[in-house]
Amino acid sequence: MTIRRLPPDLINRIAAGEVVERPASVVKELMENALDAGARRIEIQAEGGGLARILVADDGGGLGAEELTLAIQRHATSKLAPGPDGDYDLLRIDTLGFRGEALPSIGSVARLTITARARGSEGAFAIMVEGGATAAPIPAGFPGPHGARVEVRDLFYATPARLKFMKSARAEDMAIAEAVKRQALADATVAFHLDLDGRRTLRLPAEAEGPEGRLARIAAVLGRDFADNALTLDQTRDGIRLAGHAALPTYSRGGASHQYLFVNGRAVRDRLLQGALRAAYADVLARDRHPAAVLFLDLDPVLVDVNVHPAKAEVRFRDPALARGLIIGALRHALAGAGHRASSTVGGQALGHFRPESLPQGASAAGFSAWRAGGWTAPSGDLPGLNGVSARPEPWEAPWQASVPATHAVPTAPFFHTEVRVEAETADFPLGAARAQLHGAYIVAQTRDGIVIVDQHAAHERLVYEDMKAQMAKGEVTRQALLLPEVVELDPAEAERLCARADDLAALGLSLEPFGAGAVLVRETPALLGETDVAGLVRDIADDLAENDAPLILGERLAQVCSTMACHGSVRAGRRLQAAEMDALLRAMEATPLSGQCNHGRPTYVELKLADIERLFGRR
Ligand SMILES: Nc1ncnc2c1ncn2[C@@H]1O[C@H](COP(=O)(O)OP(=O)(O)O)[C@@H](O)[C@H]1O
Ligand SMILES: [Mg+2]
């Protein structure tokens, strides 16, 4: 066996394998260098998905001839310096770069040219690296007073195997744009411009320092909608500051792509932070929905190790529980403070469904008459809570007085026994006065300046859930004994998992015990749920426990079970409600935290302002 020292060029190519995964990683490294050099404006161009050419130009401090020669050498950096004791401190890093690896790595797998002019110097220089071979710097022209232009051609030409892994140029373009957006969110005071194949794709002017500038940048990058539906956070605890914006639960997404997390200005994809974000919203979002947020954690650099990942995308906290606790605490606080506010886009989308111009594509006179005839239901979009609100004109339903025969009364869930004084003039309440129930599922209420449509099942589910949590926190969940204990058949593993949790479930008001190999016997259920489908409830909880088995901490798991229970205890769609019940539900919603959305993040109500309705009818 022969042990060899590898040639430097090969070492660089090996490092490039980690640092330069795809064109977007080149863009990321070059933007970081520009920012570290104090750039106020960064111009990015990419052609052929970045594989043909990438250019990143900045107006930072620039480099001189000698620095250019050093910059392309491995482990050469201006960002680490020995302290008074001659030691290097890897824990006090306040720059984005520090490894001295990006430029030599890029130069080993592509044709790299850096043209730069150092601040205060007369001339500019250029240096070239091709597949690891360097030439001496030569005098060159430079457009500005100082800065650097880094051009990368034929990326991966020196490592054809890597080229094979590249996705389509379009996919690489998207990854590049994403990298620029991410960095632009972190540095709102710097202007970013991105051209893809000569087309201007992003134009982000420099914003003012401070939270307003940051919000303006967020709106420019993620859209006005996000900014309009975001809660502002700013909290400091034990030397860690969490600032930023998180969207209302009703503005959730199908994927985690709208989550931007920064630690000391560095974009990170950190499992711990993502988990904390998830946990903070666990109460208000279904498991397949993802919160949207732009969050900045700032802390003393010694409390976080950034040197744990070659592309610096992950970090390690000295006290992970502290960071996690801060995120969960601050977000929950902000979400609770948002009260029953639901995403503003919800009402807007509802209006969109009402508007004639939202008829399906190609809707013509024929389509319109089909619509009139009731043959067309509004597209539901991704808001399941709106499914039942159809644009189809229904025969006018009489107000509740007429539509609810006295004999139709159904045993009410215990919630409705709660004393809620209903004023004569209820229109002054935020959710107004109940006027009618439509389709046995929606409550229509009149407010001072508009109408509110409430999804009764979603709203009640949230109320039951909050009630259960309150009871649980006090350690006094009221139970009701079943007249006849019920046997629920499950598979043996499920039954075992449930019984292993029997104590926790009992604390939630659900008493069960093993009953042979594949069944449990249920004796008591939480009183809050009223009369409930015991078997369905137990099966859903078994599913919860199966899915969440290992990773969730106990509290979160219980919250999940609570949420499942609440869903079972809610007034199902289809139940007729009395006028007083409807008003009681509205008043309770106003008094309940987070009542703007059900436990799955669907809105519980939409509000249409009179002004909007007038606009619908062309009165404005
Ligand atoms: N755009 C730039 N403007 C000024 N100096 C730069 C620029 N890009 C790179 N440099 C210099 O080149 C050095 C090496 O860059 P790099 O290989 O990315 O390593 P690192 O950023 O980790 O130091 C940097 O430390 C910096 O001094
Ligand atoms: Mg760098």
Side-chain angles (χ1 to χ4, degrees):
M1 180 175 79
T2 320
I3 299 183
R4 290 187 190 83
R5 277 185 182 283
L6 299 177
D9 172 43
L10 185 63
I11 296 176
N12 282 338
R13 257 188 281 152
I14 291 172
E18 292 182 322
V19 180
V20 190
E21 198 192 317
R22 61 195 298 188
S25 3
V26 171
V27 171
K28 169 181 179 282
E29 292 293 338
L30 299 182
M31 287 187 301
E32 289 185 355
N33 281 347
L35 290 163
D36 282 343
R40 305 313 308 154
R41 183 191 156 88
I42 304 179
E43 190 82 44
I44 301 129
Q45 300 173 6
E47 278 148 42
L51 291 168
R53 176 173 172 271
I54 291 170
L55 173 83
V56 176
D58 67 64
D59 58 356
L63 310 90
E66 215 169 297
E67 292 165 314
L68 279 174
T69 316
L70 278 171
I72 55 168
Q73 288 177 29
R74 191 165 164 73
H75 302 315
T77 180
S78 57
K79 301 168 193 177
L80 288 179
D85 51 3
D87 277 350
Y88 286 85
D89 188 352
L90 263 183
L91 284 177
R92 292 220 168 265
I93 292 169
D94 56 6
T95 47
L96 293 167
F98 59 90
R99 302 169 64 106
E101 279 187 323
L103 293 180
S105 299
I106 295 167
S108 73
V109 295
R111 298 181 223 278
L112 168 71
T113 309
I114 310 173
T115 312
R117 179 167 171 183
R119 195 188 296 271
S121 108
E122 279 302 308
F125 291 88
I127 195 167
M128 277 164 64
V129 190
E130 275 207 31
T134 53
I138 48 168
F142 190 83
H146 50 81
R149 295 170 65 85
V150 183
E151 189 180 48
V152 178
R153 286 184 179 274
D154 305 325
L155 183 60
F156 299 131
Y157 88 95
T159 47
R162 184 49 77 92
L163 257 189
K164 293 211 183 78
F165 283 97
M166 289 305 115
K167 306 225 170 71
S168 66
R170 208 183 116 66
E172 297 305 332
D173 276 351
M174 278 170 55
I176 291 171
E178 188 58 28
V180 176
K181 287 181 180 176
R182 203 167 275 274
Q183 194 68 60
L185 286 171
D187 297 275
T189 61
V190 177
F192 287 82
H193 290 173
L194 170 66
D195 287 351
L196 293 173
D197 293 317
R199 262 180 313 107
R200 169 97 350 149
T201 309
L202 280 174
R203 179 202 302 270
L204 302 168
E207 305 288 350
E209 186 92 43
E212 267 137 57
R214 195 176 258 180
L215 193 59
R217 174 58 59 86
I218 290 176
V221 172
L222 298 180
R224 191 74 254 161
D225 261 7
F226 175 89
D228 286 346
N229 287 293
L231 305 164
T232 303
L233 306 164
D234 194 347
Q235 235 187 60
T236 304
R237 194 198 292 170
D238 299 314
I240 307 189
R241 176 173 179 197
L242 172 73
H245 302 272
L248 290 166
T250 40
Y251 184 81
S252 66
R253 324 290 306 180
S257 61
H258 276 54
Q259 294 177 1
Y260 297 89
L261 304 168
F262 303 89
V263 176
N264 288 344
R266 184 189 303 282
V268 295
R269 285 173 211 280
D270 186 276
R271 295 270 307 266
L272 170 94
L273 300 182
Q274 283 166 347
L277 186 56
R278 218 184 154 75
Y281 277 80
D283 254 18
V284 288
L285 277 189
R287 261 163 288 165
D288 59 347
R289 302 295 298 172
H290 299 262
V294 182
L295 300 178
F296 301 87
L297 272 184
D298 286 290
L299 65 169
D300 187 331
V302 303
L303 297 177
V304 56
D305 189 352
V306 294
N307 185 28
V308 292
H309 187 270
K312 298 162 290 180
E314 286 167 24
V315 294
R316 194 168 295 146
F317 290 92
R318 191 185 285 178
D319 186 351
L322 194 64
R324 182 184 158 85
L326 175 61
I327 293 183
I328 297 181
L331 275 169
R332 288 211 176 136
H333 185 78
L335 286 169
H340 62 259
R341 182 178 159 205
S343 154
S344 73
T345 49
V346 175
Q349 284 179 7
L351 270 178
H353 287 311
F354 276 111
R355 287 201 178 108
E357 60 263 29
S358 78
L359 282 171
Q361 286 256 310
S364 52
F368 189 68
S369 34
W371 176 72
R372 291 292 296 261
W376 177 71
T377 318
S380 60
D382 65 352
L383 282 165
L386 288 176
N387 276 349
V389 182
S390 96
R392 189 158 18 121
E394 289 297 331
W396 175 249
E397 290 212 14
W400 53 267
Q401 287 96 335
S403 70
V404 185
T407 51
H408 207 293
V410 190
T412 49
F415 156 75
F416 291 115
H417 297 316
T418 341
E419 266 311 300
V420 181
R421 237 162 60 84
V422 180
E423 307 288 324
E425 194 44 82
T426 40
D428 281 330
F429 286 106
L431 294 178
R435 288 280 183 255
Q437 185 191 27
L438 304 184
H439 297 285
Y442 301 97
I443 298 168
V444 178
Q446 176 171 339
T447 60
R448 272 267 165 263
D449 59 350
I451 64 174
V452 162
I453 304 171
V454 174
D455 176 334
Q456 71 189 39
H457 172 69
H460 191 237
E461 177 183 320
R462 167 54 61 182
L463 299 182
V464 172
Y465 179 50
E466 292 297 330
D467 243 355
M468 280 197 87
K469 278 197 306 182
Q471 286 194 2
M472 198 168 65
K474 278 191 273 168
E476 49 192 46
V477 177
T478 327
R479 316 163 184 197
Q480 63 194 1
L482 296 176
L483 280 180
L484 289 176
E486 193 165 332
V487 177
V488 183
E489 303 281 345
L490 299 158
D491 74 51
E494 281 179 330
E496 200 176 312
R497 246 192 317 264
L498 271 175
C499 294
R501 290 258 159 232
D503 287 348
D504 295 329
L505 294 173
L508 292 172
L510 183 70
S511 317
L512 50 77
E513 57 200 55
F515 193 78
V520 295
L521 182 73
V522 181
R523 294 192 180 280
E524 291 174 318
T525 57
L528 264 174
L529 301 190
E531 253 179 67
T532 187
D533 159 23
V534 175
L537 172 68
V538 168
R539 286 203 186 96
D540 282 357
I541 292 177
D543 284 349
D544 282 343
L545 294 182
E547 274 177 50
N548 299 341
D549 220 22
L552 280 190
I553 49 177
L554 187 65
E556 280 161 31
R557 200 177 320 197
L558 290 186
Q560 181 62 47
V561 170
C562 246
S563 156
T564 299
M565 287 192 182
C567 190
H568 276 268
S570 323
V571 257
R572 294 285 178 175
R575 222 197 86 196
R576 294 273 180 197
L577 297 179
Q578 310 285 349
E581 287 180 326
M582 292 194 277
D583 272 321
L585 183 69
L586 298 180
R587 300 296 78 79
M589 281 172 74
E590 286 154 0
T592 301
L594 301 170
S595 63
Q597 55 271 313
C598 74
N599 306 340
H600 308 105
R602 295 193 299 263
T604 51
Y605 74 93
V606 296
E607 180 171 17
L608 303 178
K609 294 287 182 200
L610 271 185
D612 291 326
I613 298 171
E614 282 164 10
R615 224 169 276 133
L616 272 181
F617 290 104
R619 282 167 175 273
R620 280 192 182 221

